[in-house]
Amino acid sequence: DAGVIQSPRHEVTEMGQEVTLRCKPISGHNSLFWYRQTMMRGLELLIYFNNNVPIDDSGMPEDRFSAKMPNASFSTLKIQPSEPRDSAVYFCASSFEGSPLHFGNGTRLTVT
Amino acid sequence: GQQLNQSPQSMFIQEGEDVSMNCTSSSIFNTWLWYKQDPGEGPVLLIALYKAGELTSNGRLTAQFGITRKDSFLNISASIPSDVGIYFCAGYLSGTYKYIFGTGTRLKVLA
């Protein structure tokens, strides 16, 4: 079991640029979650998918953020345009039918 | 977003000491989870609890699902340097698809 795979591990970009974060969930898991972690706000749920369908995106901070899950093995989180306050660690996690979440190792995003 | 209250926020302890931390919520949950996060990595599941009153151990770790279903406790016995990290609780309510995470307890162990 390869676990949840996220890429890139680190991303440094300039304000205004588009950023795309990628996630491959554990094979067989049907729920996928995107979280953002900062010192000030801890782990925040941004959006989650069930069977590839977005169920709740109320945690997405602004229209600059969008997420897709075109198939059961791939999801993206896009920020366009990026801003310095978007700097954080972004985690993807997956689960099956309410089983405990399994997290990837995150993408550390720095927007200058 | 909604978060659970964890305490303490941080702890400095001597190697060999026991550690206790807890998590409280205003809502009830069907499942309580405890995770540990090492620097530069994602949270890793330590213990999962599925029934009110349940007490479960994983090596030196013991966790309990509170009777009211609104709280949970994690104890670490005889701490060692590799216990350093951030410990998160998470609550899950069946049918909601949502895992609500605590604010974290940052543990530092002094050798």
Side-chain angles (χ1 to χ4, degrees):
Chain A
D1 185 348
V4 176
I5 299 173
Q6 290 186 247
S7 63
R9 286 298 312 272
H10 302 273
E11 177 79 40
V12 180
T13 191
E14 291 183 346
M15 181 174 63
Q17 297 297 307
E18 177 180 296
V19 175
T20 299
L21 312 181
R22 297 173 176 79
C23 175
K24 177 178 168 54
I26 291 174
S27 177
H29 282 190
N30 63 345
S31 295
L32 184 141
F33 303 76
W34 282 100
Y35 285 86
R36 178 171 67 178
Q37 185 178 41
T38 60
M39 286 293 290
M40 292 296 294
R41 301 171 71 94
L43 273 168
E44 299 176 276
L45 176 63
L46 301 177
I47 186 171
Y48 64 86
F49 295 83
N50 186 251
N51 294 322
N52 311 339
V53 176
I55 301 300
D56 185 347
D57 64 355
S58 60
M60 297 285 261
E62 303 171 29
D63 291 345
R64 298 184 296 106
F65 285 70
S66 63
K68 294 182 180 180
M69 191 165 186
N71 57 62
S73 59
F74 184 66
S75 177
T76 59
L77 178 67
K78 185 177 294 187
I79 309 172
Q80 165 64 17
S82 58
E83 297 182 3
R85 61 194 167 118
D86 301 332
S87 298
V89 181
Y90 291 80
F91 287 104
C92 176
S94 69
S95 73
F96 176 74
E97 298 293 335
S99 66
L101 289 180
H102 293 260
F103 284 83
N105 279 328
T107 295
R108 180 174 295 276
L109 173 65
T110 303
V111 183
T112 60
Chain B
Q2 182 183 0
Q3 283 191 329
L4 305 176
N5 293 317
Q6 265 186 262
S7 65
Q9 287 190 340
S10 63
M11 313 178 66
F12 287 82
I13 62 169
Q14 293 287 336
E15 184 178 356
E17 288 183 351
D18 296 343
V19 175
S20 291
M21 59 190 79
N22 66 70
C23 196
T24 60
S25 170
S26 56
S27 307
I28 62 172
F29 292 108
N30 299 122
T31 300
W32 281 95
L33 307 170
W34 284 93
Y35 288 83
K36 182 192 178 204
Q37 184 178 23
D38 290 326
E41 298 183 6
V44 173
L45 180 69
L46 298 174
I47 293 179
L49 303 159
Y50 298 103
K51 198 188 308 185
E54 179 181 353
L55 186 71
T56 297
S57 293
N58 178 6
R60 293 178 297 106
L61 278 60
T62 302
Q64 183 162 25
F65 191 141
I67 291 292
T68 66
R69 296 169 64 194
K70 292 184 178 181
D71 57 7
S72 181
F73 306 87
L74 176 69
N75 296 315
I76 305 173
S77 62
S79 58
I80 59 178
S82 61
D83 290 335
V84 165
I86 305 176
Y87 292 80
F88 291 99
C89 62
Y92 175 76
L93 189 61
S94 300
T96 65
Y97 302 105
K98 282 189 176 182
Y99 297 79
I100 308 300
F101 278 81
T103 47
T105 294
R106 189 177 296 270
L107 178 64
K108 295 195 177 182
V109 179
L110 306 174

